[in-house]
Amino acid sequence: MLTDLEIAQKAELKEIDEVASSVSIPDKHLRRYGKHVAKISHQYLSELQDRPDGKLVLVTAISPTSAGEGKTTTSVGLAMALNIIGNKSFVTLREPSVGPIMGIKGGAAGGGYSQVLPMEEINLHFTGDFHAISLAHNLLSAVIDAHIKFDNELRIDPAQLYWPRTMDMNDRALRQIIVGLGGSANGYPREDSFVITAASEIMAIVCLSKNLVDLKERLAKIIVGRSYDGEFITVNDLNVQGAMATLLKDVLDPNLVQTIEGTPAFVHGGPFANIAHGTNTLTATKMALKLSDYVITEAGFGADLGAQKFLDFVCPVGGLNPSAVVLVASIRALKLNGGASKKDIREEDLSALEQGFENLKVHFENI
Amino acid sequence: MLTDLEIAQKAELKEIDEVASSVSIPDKHLRRYGKHVAKISHQYLSELQDRPDGKLVLVTAISPTSAGEGKTTTSVGLAMALNIIGNKSFVTLREPSVGPIMGIKGGAAGGGYSQVLPMEEINLHFTGDFHAISLAHNLLSAVIDAHIKFDNELRIDPAQLYWPRTMDMNDRALRQIIVGLGGSANGYPREDSFVITAASEIMAIVCLSKNLVDLKERLAKIIVGRSYDGEFITVNDLNVQGAMATLLKDVLDPNLVQTIEGTPAFVHGGPFANIAHGTNTLTATKMALKLSDYVITEAGFGADLGAQKFLDFVCPVGGLNPSAVVLVASIRALKLNGGASKKDIREEDLSALEQGFENLKVHFENI
Amino acid sequence: MLTDLEIAQKAELKEIDEVASSVSIPDKHLRRYGKHVAKISHQYLSELQDRPDGKLVLVTAISPTSAGEGKTTTSVGLAMALNIIGNKSFVTLREPSVGPIMGIKGGAAGGGYSQVLPMEEINLHFTGDFHAISLAHNLLSAVIDAHIKFDNELRIDPAQLYWPRTMDMNDRALRQIIVGLGGSANGYPREDSFVITAASEIMAIVCLSKNLVDLKERLAKIIVGRSYDGEFITVNDLNVQGAMATLLKDVLDPNLVQTIEGTPAFVHGGPFANIAHGTNTLTATKMALKLSDYVITEAGFGADLGAQKFLDFVCPVGGLNPSAVVLVASIRALKLNGGASKKDIREEDLSALEQGFENLKVHFENI
Amino acid sequence: MLTDLEIAQKAELKEIDEVASSVSIPDKHLRRYGKHVAKISHQYLSELQDRPDGKLVLVTAISPTSAGEGKTTTSVGLAMALNIIGNKSFVTLREPSVGPIMGIKGGAAGGGYSQVLPMEEINLHFTGDFHAISLAHNLLSAVIDAHIKFDNELRIDPAQLYWPRTMDMNDRALRQIIVGLGGSANGYPREDSFVITAASEIMAIVCLSKNLVDLKERLAKIIVGRSYDGEFITVNDLNVQGAMATLLKDVLDPNLVQTIEGTPAFVHGGPFANIAHGTNTLTATKMALKLSDYVITEAGFGADLGAQKFLDFVCPVGGLNPSAVVLVASIRALKLNGGASKKDIREEDLSALEQGFENLKVHFENI
């Protein structure tokens, strides 16, 4: 059996121009990153306002297990299947972090014959979205410390800062640090931490922002800490939203790639589902809805977390109206949820499987 | 008088394909980043081996002043002038850091009617080279701390580590930090620091590497610290060079842009001239030499530092053989070196000017 | 009404020789600290082995309140009363910390006409017991870090150290610190903390040790942390018990003072009742039992904590056999335990008082 | 040959009362610490004002060597000799640190048959002077951090604090630390350090203070740092001098001990000679001058440092007027200063000896 990587490497990809024209995206809105990746200007969405939306299908799953559940694979496969039977379909997914990929997990672009490609580009730097978000995030961090160092006009209390630093890297040594050492030239020491870029508040903001104006407004409202007087300090107080938005200007544009069968796919935005809302950018989903009959999207973690956030938060905020929900429940995940141990997961175990259906039932009822 | 930005925005740029074909770069070696930026595969250089080299002109300057000296402007202007009088010319420059740009300095792409464009892309994330270098650098940092935490088989002495972390940001609070706090789950506390990406050893390595094999070999030789027994620990000992090189694979490809008059320009690699060698990648310069009659390149800081490193280190290492050296000496820089104060720099001051010629004389003699 | 301090200053004290001879302590066992304080050699106890013990009375209280409960005042008063009616009596109390005294709390030597004196000496450096314990404690801390720095033969894991540093000072800034900074000359950085001397394990050990041999054995058994291999590291492994015991050699000798009426009192040892056993040294209590008919001693906190530890731990370890327990329940403490607020505590509040009796009842039943 | 310790242990000491009465110190000014140590009230000095001073002899030495120079041994021996030939003599010396004693150096109470005794008491906690100074020092440190934490009314800049913490222990891990970690309950993190008690500014102050009023005034003038506005912050601003003086009240009283032949000796105060003035308390020297014909005192380090500070600073400040200076120059020290290596120091080496006289000559000329 071929590995995911081997399958990916054997795949014959269309040029991205061909994928774009298959859904009639005009060339002027296309910004190429090599032959198989392009950003589509988020401003294109406003030109599409009068078109009707396609149907939105949410893919979610039963309780997550360490073996993975197959949401991405199902989403990609479903989009390809709808396409083959004559519908125009689109799949919209989250971008993977580089950091964790270098570590434990495999990529986050599906598997087997149900992948989005080009795998390597998507899994490495891709179109630089995560890098830009990291830099905008850390620019704010640097400005906060510089403000405190240089007279601290806003009276920011260094002991009440909520804004960490970020890096797209699973680096435990940076989880709890002290910054600002080395004497007064480097400012005031304080306890700080690095979070992974997917956990940056800016990642969540990017996924919800309609355009640069909206982005700047949302950035301006970020609360970075409190003053000595107990009042909230916002990005607006520091007046950094403009510089941050400049660094983020290309990040709002959805990244167009394709499935292994050439179905168009947006892979755009990657907020964590536990601390944020866990779905790709609204812009990508909304643009895909204008460009196709069916859009398959997925929400992170199990239905209780990801689907709930999608249905109760993302949909109202973005004006989305899903037509169907797919609840993925692989035999393997059912058995694990039913009490089977991971090492015996390849053995037949009907009892664990039956127990696992309890989990499925509750998720089903919730939806 | 128009500002640099206004001039840049008014400029009508050729599509990057047109720039590439003006020097006959085949499409298959072109990787587009939008309409006006492309990476040229570094492997293209080997196809060009049999062509004769053009002439190499080094632009350097008298002792640097806070007002800038005009090396980049001269380099760009010279390339454009040579082009207009009928020569095929190329200019090769260093990539600017994002971080410092957000802070104090203006961009590093020339000025007035002597710029390389598109200004905004070059000055912001460009083709992601700095991001990739940062990530590869920090991957190594994370692996070092993880190695120490998990049994430390190599007996790395945490008090004798030379490998910092890096960020493309002028962030004083990160200059001296403590990492690894928060109990044993996060490893062992140690004093650490962040350097700016331009100061990363990987930046220097990238600028000297011929191809991925060479890059990997150079990465493997990096000394990260010492063991408790006093022996050097290298990247090879940690066996991370492969993962680092994967993150760096596109970084070796020169970034093709154009001057305001459409002359081809490589803006590629940006090591500091004080702690490293301070010139763009060897690959960019060597490829440009194969593609044109004249290649104008610049070296950072004054002639005593930048030109000396170029002539005595970069040229022998890269097999370069400069045909001419341009020594930039603006009236303003001469006056400042002659003792004039920066605030009176617009006043006529023949005495300071005369004094400044002493500086010019020494640089001239040295070369 | 006179303050405690005024009463203390007006009191006419006996010379400590007179107090000592009132209970027939031979001069050779007396080590004077000024006119009103002396240490009695702990070795004197062995000379007294054949004498019968007096009766031991434990003073405890209902649940502690912020207003204090009056255990010390009751203990001192009871000893004085027994003395006046013709019994030879002794009171044995804990030594107060200097640090907290300079801060919030008043001294810990009783109040009003029921004090032990000389107040100032007892409340300040006294006979240096806390200083010696601090120094012995910190000697061990210094040896641990020095051992790790110099080759770490025992393979001590700096992330698994349980031994803090100590200071007889309420200093919040020292509660969580990082030590060992400044490069390898100062060792390896690690997270550390200072505890108050009363919380030092050595304080508890001193209060239980019979003599220098016993002390050294107990010190040797202190577990300071774990090795990289998970094994416990003891003081014995570091072989510091001898040096520590040298610093502690006078600490074992009970401190003789007097009540305001000249009744002999031992004020000796001061372990916290929450984290340790909360009573004065066994040596002081046992020596007092040999020297008088009645010994009044107290245990820290409420009966559920202090008395329980005294009866179930201190008595079996020390071979003590209390004849009576006094349960102190002031009207004020009853009212506070009954729900009265501290600011209205001087108002009559029979309902709160009645409620407070519930608290008394449970403590009574427990004993 | 007997060791210093064996000689000390065999010595038959006079009771301290006998030593005191040999120089007619009235009992009321005597505060005993066991049988062989006493503090003499510093107030006794004012009763002695009308008596004429004895002659003051300063003992200094050639450049210090790692083998020691013998100043203390010479001082003690000289005092004993003067006594034997019928003069009333006194020796005044510095108190040794406990910390360093536990570490490298031997005690600081002379050697051979020229010691002050009781050795063990002097070398360990003695009369608690160092402990009291440590505590007063650290009280100020704690108050500074608490002040900053609680609203920082004085606007103290935590990055401009000059007041370290102190411990009477050679503990490298405390040389450079970070305090105030653990969140805002513990204040604001800052870089701090522990110095050894002998290096505390309070040690120097104690050695110069005439009485409690003078002490309090000197403490009040200590500069602990600067405000955000660049102004000096003093102890007076924090109003801690009273509490500090309370902790130091007994420290002003000279410690009376005896030489191995019963000659009276004050061992009192121990400031470093490199960073402070390096001689025992003025009070001890001045009181000794009132009580005897000859007072032998020593100054730390070589004549260029210790004697110079003594003659040019301590004498004018204290109104002292030395009658003679003894310049100690052992053969061993001469040889080491003449270039002999320490390991061959027991070999005859007339050439090195001759060279060493150069050193002696310069010190001699200076004095």
Side-chain angles (χ1 to χ4, degrees):
Chain A
M1 212 172 77
L2 297 179
T3 65
D4 292 356
L5 182 61
E6 287 164 346
I7 293 169
Q9 283 168 343
K10 275 173 188 281
E12 284 186 29
L13 294 186
K14 300 181 193 167
E15 295 234 340
I16 199 64
D17 298 57
E18 193 185 334
V19 177
S21 58
S22 78
V23 284
S24 312
I25 299 172
D27 185 71
K28 68 166 176 171
H29 287 306
L30 204 69
R31 181 185 166 88
R32 288 167 196 80
Y33 286 75
K35 290 199 167 40
H36 303 113
V37 175
K39 275 190 168 289
I40 310 302
S41 169
H42 67 279
Q43 294 167 323
Y44 177 42
L45 183 56
S46 56
E47 291 182 17
L48 299 171
Q49 281 319 315
D50 296 336
R51 287 203 203 167
D53 280 348
K55 288 185 188 305
L56 179 60
V57 178
L58 172 69
V59 175
T60 183
I62 60 171
S63 297
T65 68
S66 58
E69 306 78 45
K71 289 195 301 286
T72 307
T73 306
T74 302
S75 301
V76 174
L78 190 51
M80 294 193 303
L82 284 165
N83 196 50
I84 279 178
I85 61 173
N87 302 287
K88 275 174 81 175
S89 66
F90 227 109
V91 60
T92 65
L93 299 171
R94 284 175 296 161
E95 296 182 59
S97 294
V98 172
I101 291 167
M102 302 304 299
I104 342 145
K105 301 209 306 175
Y113 290 92
S114 189
Q115 300 185 38
V116 285
L117 299 171
M119 192 202 223
E120 218 170 16
E121 276 82 348
I122 295 172
N123 278 340
L124 292 179
H125 311 290
F126 205 23
T127 58
D129 292 340
F130 277 45
H131 292 318
I133 288 169
S134 301
L135 211 57
H137 184 117
N138 290 327
L139 175 65
L140 175 53
S141 308
V143 166
I144 291 169
D145 280 305
H147 183 93
I148 292 171
K149 177 175 154 50
F150 294 108
D151 287 345
N152 198 0
E153 210 177 284
L154 293 171
R155 295 176 46 71
I156 299 174
D157 183 352
Q160 294 189 77
L161 283 174
Y162 314 140
W163 190 253
R165 282 171 165 87
T166 196
M167 190 183 281
D168 193 21
M169 180 73 67
N170 230 339
D171 187 344
R172 281 167 174 270
L174 292 179
R175 284 194 186 175
Q176 209 173 312
I177 64 174
I178 298 174
V179 300
L181 299 172
S184 58
N186 295 342
Y188 294 97
R190 63 181 185 88
E191 295 173 282
D192 198 1
S193 63
F194 271 79
V195 297
I196 200 160
T197 308
S200 165
E201 189 172 338
I202 297 178
M203 178 64 84
I205 286 175
V206 158
C207 289
L208 298 174
S209 296
K210 290 192 192 77
N211 49 47
L212 280 172
V213 172
D214 185 25
L215 174 69
K216 218 185 281 188
E217 280 173 13
R218 288 174 186 269
L219 293 173
K221 285 183 200 151
I222 291 174
I223 291 169
V224 300
R226 284 176 187 271
S227 74
Y228 286 116
D229 315 305
E231 281 166 43
F232 287 128
I233 306 288
T234 64
V235 167
N236 193 50
D237 295 328
L238 291 159
N239 196 25
V240 208
Q241 62 271 31
M244 291 167 75
T246 299
L247 285 169
L248 293 169
K249 74 184 173 51
D250 298 332
V251 177
L252 293 188
D253 299 337
N255 304 306
L256 180 68
V257 290
Q258 60 191 291
T259 71
I260 205 163
E261 294 179 355
T263 329
F266 280 144
V267 176
H268 192 216
F272 274 159
N274 47 359
I275 59 164
H277 55 280
T279 34
N280 59 265
T281 63
L282 266 179
T283 302
T285 302
K286 291 173 81 169
M287 195 182 284
L289 284 168
K290 294 296 182 194
L291 297 174
S292 59
D293 304 324
Y294 291 93
V295 174
I296 320 299
T297 194
E298 63 156 346
F301 280 78
D304 50 337
L305 185 64
Q308 207 242 329
K309 283 182 175 177
F310 188 80
L311 298 172
D312 292 350
F313 171 70
V314 178
C315 288
V317 165
L320 301 180
N321 193 11
S323 302
V325 175
V326 174
L327 184 55
V328 177
S330 70
I331 298 294
R332 199 163 60 170
L334 283 169
K335 277 157 74 181
L336 283 170
N337 273 309
S341 75
K342 201 178 164 186
K343 70 173 172 31
D344 303 329
I345 198 63
R346 290 176 178 281
E347 310 290 317
E348 188 177 286
D349 185 346
L350 292 179
S351 148
L353 185 60
E354 209 178 316
Q355 293 281 326
F357 270 94
E358 284 300 307
N359 187 288
L360 173 58
K361 193 179 155 207
V362 177
H363 285 295
F364 176 76
E365 287 168 0
N366 280 342
I367 290 164
Chain B
M1 211 174 77
L2 298 178
T3 65
D4 291 357
L5 182 61
E6 287 163 347
I7 292 168
Q9 284 168 344
K10 274 173 190 280
E12 283 185 28
L13 294 186
K14 299 180 192 168
E15 296 232 340
I16 199 64
D17 299 56
E18 194 184 334
V19 178
S21 56
S22 78
V23 283
S24 309
I25 299 171
D27 185 71
K28 68 168 177 171
H29 288 305
L30 204 68
R31 179 184 166 88
R32 289 167 197 80
Y33 287 74
K35 291 198 168 39
H36 303 112
V37 175
K39 274 190 169 290
I40 310 302
S41 168
H42 68 279
Q43 294 168 321
Y44 177 43
L45 184 55
S46 56
E47 294 183 13
L48 299 170
Q49 282 319 314
D50 297 336
R51 289 203 202 169
D53 280 346
K55 287 184 188 306
L56 178 60
V57 178
L58 172 68
V59 175
T60 182
I62 60 172
S63 296
T65 68
S66 58
E69 308 77 45
K71 289 195 302 284
T72 308
T73 306
T74 302
S75 302
V76 174
L78 191 51
M80 295 193 303
L82 284 165
N83 196 50
I84 278 177
I85 60 173
N87 302 287
K88 275 174 83 174
S89 67
F90 226 108
V91 61
T92 64
L93 301 170
R94 283 174 297 160
E95 295 181 59
S97 294
V98 173
I101 291 167
M102 301 305 297
I104 342 145
K105 300 207 307 173
Y113 290 92
S114 189
Q115 301 186 36
V116 286
L117 298 172
M119 190 202 224
E120 218 171 15
E121 274 82 348
I122 295 172
N123 278 339
L124 292 179
H125 312 289
F126 204 24
T127 58
D129 291 341
F130 277 45
H131 293 318
I133 289 169
S134 302
L135 212 57
H137 183 118
N138 291 326
L139 174 65
L140 175 54
S141 309
V143 165
I144 292 168
D145 280 304
H147 183 91
I148 293 172
K149 178 176 154 50
F150 294 107
D151 286 344
N152 198 3
E153 210 176 284
L154 292 171
R155 296 177 43 76
I156 299 174
D157 183 352
Q160 294 189 79
L161 283 174
Y162 314 140
W163 191 253
R165 282 170 166 87
T166 196
M167 190 183 281
D168 193 21
M169 179 73 68
N170 229 339
D171 187 345
R172 282 168 173 271
L174 292 179
R175 284 194 188 174
Q176 210 174 312
I177 64 173
I178 298 173
V179 301
L181 299 173
S184 58
N186 294 342
Y188 294 96
R190 63 181 186 89
E191 296 175 278
D192 198 0
S193 65
F194 271 81
V195 297
I196 200 160
T197 308
S200 166
E201 190 172 338
I202 296 178
M203 179 64 82
I205 286 175
V206 158
C207 290
L208 299 174
S209 296
K210 290 191 192 78
N211 50 47
L212 280 172
V213 172
D214 186 26
L215 173 69
K216 217 184 281 189
E217 279 173 13
R218 289 174 185 268
L219 293 173
K221 286 183 199 150
I222 292 174
I223 291 169
V224 301
R226 282 176 188 271
S227 73
Y228 286 116
D229 315 306
E231 281 166 42
F232 288 127
I233 305 288
T234 64
V235 166
N236 192 51
D237 295 328
L238 291 159
N239 197 22
V240 209
Q241 62 270 31
M244 292 169 74
T246 300
L247 285 168
L248 293 169
K249 74 183 173 53
D250 298 331
V251 177
L252 292 188
D253 299 337
N255 304 306
L256 181 67
V257 291
Q258 59 192 291
T259 72
I260 204 163
E261 293 180 355
T263 328
F266 281 143
V267 176
H268 192 217
F272 274 160
N274 47 358
I275 58 164
H277 55 279
T279 35
N280 57 264
T281 63
L282 266 180
T283 302
T285 301
K286 291 173 81 172
M287 195 183 284
L289 284 168
K290 295 295 183 194
L291 297 173
S292 59
D293 304 324
Y294 292 94
V295 173
I296 321 299
T297 193
E298 62 156 348
F301 280 77
D304 51 336
L305 186 64
Q308 206 242 329
K309 284 182 175 176
F310 187 81
L311 297 171
D312 292 348
F313 171 69
V314 178
C315 287
V317 166
L320 301 180
N321 192 12
S323 303
V325 175
V326 175
L327 183 55
V328 178
S330 70
I331 299 295
R332 201 164 58 171
L334 284 168
K335 279 157 72 181
L336 283 170
N337 272 309
S341 75
K342 199 178 166 187
K343 71 173 171 30
D344 303 330
I345 197 63
R346 289 173 178 283
E347 308 292 315
E348 188 177 287
D349 185 347
L350 292 178
S351 147
L353 185 59
E354 211 179 313
Q355 293 281 326
F357 270 93
E358 284 300 308
N359 188 288
L360 173 58
K361 193 180 155 207
V362 177
H363 285 294
F364 176 78
E365 287 167 1
N366 281 340
I367 290 163
Chain C
M1 213 173 78
L2 298 179
T3 65
D4 291 356
L5 182 61
E6 286 164 347
I7 292 168
Q9 283 169 344
K10 275 174 188 283
E12 283 186 30
L13 294 186
K14 300 181 193 166
E15 296 233 343
I16 199 63
D17 298 56
E18 193 185 335
V19 178
S21 57
S22 78
V23 283
S24 311
I25 299 171
D27 186 70
K28 68 166 176 171
H29 288 306
L30 204 69
R31 180 185 167 89
R32 289 167 197 80
Y33 287 75
K35 291 199 166 40
H36 303 114
V37 176
K39 275 191 169 288
I40 310 302
S41 169
H42 68 278
Q43 295 167 320
Y44 177 41
L45 183 55
S46 57
E47 292 183 15
L48 299 170
Q49 281 318 315
D50 296 336
R51 289 205 204 166
D53 281 347
K55 288 183 187 305
L56 178 61
V57 179
L58 172 68
V59 175
T60 184
I62 60 171
S63 297
T65 69
S66 59
E69 308 76 45
K71 289 194 303 285
T72 307
T73 308
T74 302
S75 301
V76 174
L78 190 52
M80 294 193 303
L82 284 164
N83 197 50
I84 278 177
I85 62 174
N87 302 287
K88 275 175 81 176
S89 66
F90 227 109
V91 59
T92 64
L93 299 171
R94 284 175 297 161
E95 296 181 60
S97 294
V98 172
I101 290 166
M102 301 304 299
I104 342 146
K105 301 208 306 175
Y113 290 92
S114 189
Q115 301 184 38
V116 286
L117 298 172
M119 191 202 225
E120 218 171 15
E121 274 82 350
I122 294 172
N123 279 339
L124 292 178
H125 312 289
F126 204 23
T127 58
D129 291 341
F130 278 44
H131 294 317
I133 288 169
S134 301
L135 212 56
H137 182 118
N138 290 327
L139 174 65
L140 175 53
S141 309
V143 166
I144 292 169
D145 280 306
H147 183 92
I148 293 172
K149 177 175 153 52
F150 295 107
D151 287 344
N152 197 2
E153 209 178 286
L154 293 171
R155 296 178 43 74
I156 299 174
D157 183 352
Q160 294 190 78
L161 283 174
Y162 314 140
W163 191 254
R165 281 171 165 86
T166 195
M167 190 184 281
D168 194 20
M169 179 73 69
N170 229 339
D171 187 344
R172 282 169 172 269
L174 291 179
R175 285 194 186 174
Q176 210 174 312
I177 65 174
I178 298 173
V179 301
L181 299 172
S184 58
N186 294 343
Y188 294 96
R190 64 181 185 88
E191 296 175 280
D192 198 0
S193 64
F194 271 81
V195 297
I196 201 161
T197 308
S200 165
E201 189 171 339
I202 297 178
M203 178 64 83
I205 286 174
V206 159
C207 289
L208 299 174
S209 296
K210 290 192 193 77
N211 50 46
L212 279 172
V213 172
D214 185 26
L215 174 70
K216 218 184 283 188
E217 280 172 14
R218 289 175 185 267
L219 292 173
K221 286 183 200 152
I222 292 174
I223 291 169
V224 300
R226 284 176 187 270
S227 73
Y228 286 116
D229 315 306
E231 280 167 43
F232 288 126
I233 305 288
T234 65
V235 167
N236 192 52
D237 295 328
L238 291 159
N239 197 22
V240 209
Q241 62 271 32
M244 292 168 75
T246 300
L247 285 169
L248 294 169
K249 74 184 173 52
D250 298 331
V251 177
L252 293 188
D253 299 337
N255 304 306
L256 181 67
V257 290
Q258 61 192 288
T259 72
I260 205 163
E261 293 179 355
T263 329
F266 280 144
V267 176
H268 192 217
F272 274 160
N274 46 359
I275 57 162
H277 56 279
T279 36
N280 59 263
T281 62
L282 266 180
T283 303
T285 302
K286 291 172 82 170
M287 195 183 285
L289 284 168
K290 295 295 183 195
L291 297 173
S292 59
D293 304 325
Y294 292 94
V295 174
I296 321 297
T297 194
E298 62 156 347
F301 281 77
D304 51 337
L305 186 64
Q308 207 241 328
K309 284 181 176 177
F310 187 81
L311 298 171
D312 292 349
F313 171 69
V314 179
C315 287
V317 166
L320 301 179
N321 193 12
S323 303
V325 175
V326 174
L327 184 55
V328 177
S330 70
I331 298 294
R332 200 163 59 171
L334 284 168
K335 279 157 71 180
L336 282 171
N337 273 309
S341 75
K342 201 180 165 186
K343 72 172 171 30
D344 302 329
I345 197 63
R346 289 175 178 284
E347 309 290 317
E348 187 177 288
D349 185 346
L350 292 179
S351 148
L353 186 59
E354 210 179 316
Q355 294 283 325
F357 270 93
E358 284 300 308
N359 187 289
L360 173 58
K361 194 179 155 207
V362 176
H363 284 295
F364 176 76
E365 288 168 1
N366 281 342
I367 290 163
Chain D
M1 212 174 75
L2 297 179
T3 65
D4 291 355
L5 181 62
E6 287 164 347
I7 293 168
Q9 283 167 344
K10 277 173 187 280
E12 283 186 30
L13 294 186
K14 300 181 194 167
E15 296 234 340
I16 199 63
D17 299 55
E18 193 184 335
V19 177
S21 57
S22 78
V23 284
S24 310
I25 299 170
D27 186 71
K28 68 166 177 172
H29 288 306
L30 205 69
R31 178 185 168 90
R32 290 167 196 80
Y33 287 74
K35 290 198 168 42
H36 303 114
V37 176
K39 275 190 168 288
I40 309 303
S41 169
H42 67 278
Q43 294 167 324
Y44 176 44
L45 183 56
S46 57
E47 291 183 16
L48 299 169
Q49 282 319 315
D50 297 336
R51 289 204 202 168
D53 281 347
K55 288 185 188 307
L56 179 60
V57 178
L58 172 68
V59 175
T60 183
I62 60 170
S63 297
T65 68
S66 58
E69 306 78 44
K71 290 194 301 286
T72 307
T73 306
T74 302
S75 302
V76 174
L78 190 51
M80 295 192 303
L82 285 164
N83 196 50
I84 279 177
I85 61 173
N87 303 286
K88 275 174 81 174
S89 66
F90 227 109
V91 60
T92 65
L93 300 170
R94 285 174 295 160
E95 297 181 59
S97 295
V98 172
I101 291 167
M102 301 305 297
I104 342 146
K105 301 207 308 174
Y113 290 91
S114 188
Q115 300 186 36
V116 286
L117 300 170
M119 193 202 222
E120 218 171 16
E121 275 82 349
I122 294 173
N123 277 341
L124 292 179
H125 312 289
F126 204 23
T127 58
D129 291 341
F130 276 45
H131 293 317
I133 288 170
S134 301
L135 211 57
H137 183 118
N138 291 326
L139 174 65
L140 175 53
S141 309
V143 166
I144 292 169
D145 280 305
H147 184 91
I148 292 172
K149 178 175 153 50
F150 294 107
D151 287 345
N152 198 1
E153 209 177 283
L154 293 171
R155 296 177 44 72
I156 299 173
D157 182 351
Q160 294 189 77
L161 283 173
Y162 314 140
W163 191 253
R165 282 171 165 86
T166 196
M167 189 183 281
D168 194 20
M169 179 73 68
N170 229 340
D171 187 345
R172 281 166 174 271
L174 291 179
R175 284 194 186 174
Q176 209 173 312
I177 64 173
I178 298 173
V179 300
L181 299 172
S184 59
N186 294 344
Y188 294 97
R190 64 182 185 87
E191 295 175 280
D192 199 0
S193 64
F194 270 80
V195 297
I196 200 161
T197 308
S200 166
E201 190 172 338
I202 297 178
M203 178 64 83
I205 286 175
V206 158
C207 289
L208 299 173
S209 296
K210 291 191 191 78
N211 50 47
L212 279 172
V213 172
D214 186 25
L215 173 69
K216 218 186 280 188
E217 279 173 12
R218 289 174 185 268
L219 292 174
K221 285 183 199 151
I222 292 173
I223 291 169
V224 300
R226 283 178 188 270
S227 74
Y228 286 115
D229 315 305
E231 280 167 42
F232 288 127
I233 306 287
T234 64
V235 166
N236 192 51
D237 295 328
L238 291 159
N239 198 23
V240 208
Q241 63 271 29
M244 290 168 76
T246 300
L247 285 169
L248 293 169
K249 74 184 175 49
D250 298 332
V251 176
L252 294 188
D253 299 337
N255 304 306
L256 181 67
V257 291
Q258 60 191 291
T259 71
I260 205 163
E261 293 179 356
T263 330
F266 280 144
V267 176
H268 191 217
F272 274 159
N274 47 358
I275 59 163
H277 55 279
T279 36
N280 59 265
T281 64
L282 266 180
T283 303
T285 302
K286 292 172 81 171
M287 196 182 283
L289 285 168
K290 295 296 183 194
L291 297 173
S292 60
D293 304 325
Y294 292 93
V295 173
I296 320 299
T297 194
E298 62 156 347
F301 281 77
D304 51 337
L305 185 65
Q308 207 241 329
K309 283 182 177 178
F310 188 80
L311 298 171
D312 292 350
F313 171 70
V314 178
C315 288
V317 166
L320 301 179
N321 193 11
S323 302
V325 175
V326 174
L327 184 54
V328 178
S330 69
I331 299 295
R332 199 164 58 172
L334 283 169
K335 278 157 71 181
L336 283 170
N337 273 309
S341 74
K342 201 178 164 186
K343 69 173 173 30
D344 303 329
I345 198 63
R346 290 175 177 283
E347 310 291 315
E348 187 176 288
D349 184 347
L350 292 178
S351 148
L353 185 60
E354 209 178 316
Q355 293 282 325
F357 270 93
E358 284 299 307
N359 187 286
L360 173 58
K361 192 181 156 206
V362 177
H363 285 295
F364 176 76
E365 287 168 0
N366 282 342
I367 290 163

